[in-house]
Structure formats: structure tokens, C-alpha cells
């Protein structure tokens, strides 16, 4: 995998960008460009998150800040971006989160027991390669998931969905800058990658966003 491209995909998340992330990405972009309201991603998170959870690609920590159950016994954060890890860990410090800095395209070393749920929201479209190549992420995460555990998340597809003219322009700019790497990301490849490592695969496309979940048996 292209390590430089991986780094480029997360480098945009400076403290300044994180300060407006919720407004721009979750408020404006999801509603008007990607046509998948954040409330749908939030609902999936609320339904599938467990008290023993790993969040991968934490971003601003929005879902953790707003939808972690009070019964949470263990929460871990995994990201390649130190700014995201720092901001999110401080925001949910009362849960005493475990914090790991790492690249999901490489084998991941985490301490402690495995998790009952793992969430991966808006990370896949930032990773380099096509979705079959990015699928190595699922292999790496699977090793940290308990039997019967669920992996779930969302990603913006760059192929096979209808985009309005503004969404097309924005996605092209993001891909050119290396923020996104999803020109060839399509539904079939996502389903294939999930089925290679998990069972009970479910994928729903809303706008150009794929909401997915799968289980480890």
C-alpha cells in the first residue's frame, strides 16, 4: 500500500479543520452533497455500539461524544491522526478511553481483550487503493473482534451512485488533494470485501453513502 497516500488522507485533520468538521461534514456535506443525513449514521451507531467498543478513524469524535451508552465499560480509539485522537480522548475523558495511533492497512497491535463492536465511519473513502485492496483493513480489525461481535460503519462511494453537480465537483477536489481516494469505490467491491472476512453482511446505500454492518462468527 502507498504509505504516503495513507498519510495524506488523514493529514487534513488539523485542529482548525476539526473545529469545523461537525458543521461542514456532518451538517452541510452529508445533507446537501452526499445526501445521507447524519442522523442515519447516528442511528446505526446507537443501535450497534456495545459497552466494549473500538472506534476506528475517530474524526471529531461526534458519535462517541453523543451516542456512547452510559453503560460503556471500555472504549478504545484508533487513528493515524494525533489531533483527532487528542481531541476525542479529551472530549470523552470520563470514559477513560484507550488511545492507539496506527494505520489500519497494516497489522494492528492493541492491548487487552478483544472488542464486541468496532465502528469505522468515513474512513474507507480516505484510504488509498480500491475497496478490494482497502479490504485488508477488515482482516486486521477482525483479529480484534470477539466471536459474535459486529463491525459497522459508513463510507462515501465514488462510483455507481448519483451525484449532483456540486457533489461531483467537491468529490473531484477531495480526490485531487488526496483527502479522498474513492474514485473506484463501488458497492459490489465493498460487499465482496466484507463477505471475505465476515458473515451476516448488510449494506444500505443512501445517497452516495454506504452504511454497512457485518458479524464475526
Amino acid at each position: 500500500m502507498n504509505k504516503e497516500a495513507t498519510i495524506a488522507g488523514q493529514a487534513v485533520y488539523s485542529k482548525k479543520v476539526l473545529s469545523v468538521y461537525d458543521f461542514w461534514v456532518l451538517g452541510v456535506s452529508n445533507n446537501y452533497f452526499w445526501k445521507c443525513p447524519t442522523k442515519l449514521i447516528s442511528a446505526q451507531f446507537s443501535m450497534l455500539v456495545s459497552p466494549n467498543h473500538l472506534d476506528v478513524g475517530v474524526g471529531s469524535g461526534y458519535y462517541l461524544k453523543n451516542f456512547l451508552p452510559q453503560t460503556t465499560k471500555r472504549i478504545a480509539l484508533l487513528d493515524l491522526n494525533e489531533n483527532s485522537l487528542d481531541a476525542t480522548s479529551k472530549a470523552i475523558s470520563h470514559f477513560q478511553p484507550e488511545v492507539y495511533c496506527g494505520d489500519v492497512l497494516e497489522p494492528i497491535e492493541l492491548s487487552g481483550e478483544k472488542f464486541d463492536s468496532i465502528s469505522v465511519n468515513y474512513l474507507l473513502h480516505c484510504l488509498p487503493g480500491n475497496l478490494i485492496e482497502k479490504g485488508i483493513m477488515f482482516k486486521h480489525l477482525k483479529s480484534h473482534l470477539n466471536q459474535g461481535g459486529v463491525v459497522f460503519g459508513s463510507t462515501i462511494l465514488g462510483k455507481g451512485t448519483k451525484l449532483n453537480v456540486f457533489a461531483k465537483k467537491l468529490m473531484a477536489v477531495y480526490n485531487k488533494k488526496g483527502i479522498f481516494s474513492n474514485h473506484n469505490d463501488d458497492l459490489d467491491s465493498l460487499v465482496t470485501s466484507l463477505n471475505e472476512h465476515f458473515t451476516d453482511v448488510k449494506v444500505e446505500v443512501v445517497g452516495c453513502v454506504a452504511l454497512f454492518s457485518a458479524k464475526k462468527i
Side-chain angles (χ1 to χ4, degrees):
M1 283 294 179
N2 187 335
K3 186 69 174 181
E4 291 182 0
T6 305
I7 293 172
Q10 60 81 42
V12 67
Y13 294 103
S14 63
K15 292 180 180 180
K16 183 177 181 180
V17 167
L18 286 171
S19 70
V20 297
Y21 181 92
D22 289 358
F23 166 76
W24 175 247
V25 176
L26 305 181
V28 177
S29 298
N30 278 354
N31 279 300
Y32 300 106
F33 298 119
W34 318 137
K35 299 294 184 178
C36 179
T38 300
K39 65 181 180 182
L40 297 181
I41 305 174
S42 300
Q44 176 178 256
F45 187 96
S46 298
M47 181 174 64
L48 297 177
V49 66
S50 75
N52 175 27
H53 184 71
L54 169 64
D55 190 71
V56 182
V58 300
S60 70
Y62 173 82
Y63 302 105
L64 301 175
K65 289 183 287 186
N66 292 286
F67 303 106
L68 269 184
Q70 290 302 311
T71 55
T72 296
K73 296 178 180 178
R74 180 189 181 207
I75 176 69
L77 314 175
L78 172 63
D79 203 300
L80 194 57
N81 187 286
E82 295 280 8
N83 293 324
S84 291
L85 289 171
D86 182 60
T88 301
S89 62
K90 287 179 179 177
I92 61 167
S93 60
H94 54 295
F95 285 111
Q96 298 182 305
E98 301 169 28
V99 179
Y100 302 97
C101 185
D103 180 1
V104 293
L105 296 180
E106 299 177 356
I108 306 160
E109 290 189 14
L110 305 178
S111 59
E113 299 295 321
K114 295 181 179 182
F115 298 91
D116 294 321
S117 59
I118 299 176
S119 56
V120 192
N121 282 303
Y122 278 25
L123 174 62
L124 274 168
H125 59 247
C126 298
L127 299 177
N130 59 50
L131 273 173
I132 299 299
E133 295 169 329
K134 300 177 193 187
I136 192 69
M137 177 192 78
F138 293 124
K139 177 183 178 181
H140 296 155
L141 294 180
K142 181 180 179 180
S143 65
H144 297 286
L145 191 64
N146 282 319
Q147 286 190 324
V150 61
V151 60
F152 66 93
S154 54
T155 187
I156 300 170
L157 300 176
K159 189 176 180 181
T161 62
K162 292 182 178 180
L163 298 172
N164 63 43
V165 63
F166 302 107
K168 284 182 179 179
K169 288 183 178 179
L170 184 62
M171 192 175 291
V173 168
Y174 284 176
N175 273 275
K176 185 175 182 180
K177 289 181 175 292
I179 299 170
F180 281 12
S181 183
N182 72 338
H183 272 317
N184 295 310
D185 288 7
D186 65 313
L187 175 60
D188 287 346
S189 297
L190 176 61
V191 172
T192 297
S193 291
L194 286 165
N195 275 317
E196 184 178 349
H197 303 289
F198 300 101
T199 187
D200 195 21
V201 171
K202 298 176 181 176
V203 183
E204 178 185 8
V205 177
V206 180
C208 58
V209 175
L211 303 163
F212 61 85
S213 67
K215 291 183 180 179
K216 176 181 176 180
I217 59 170

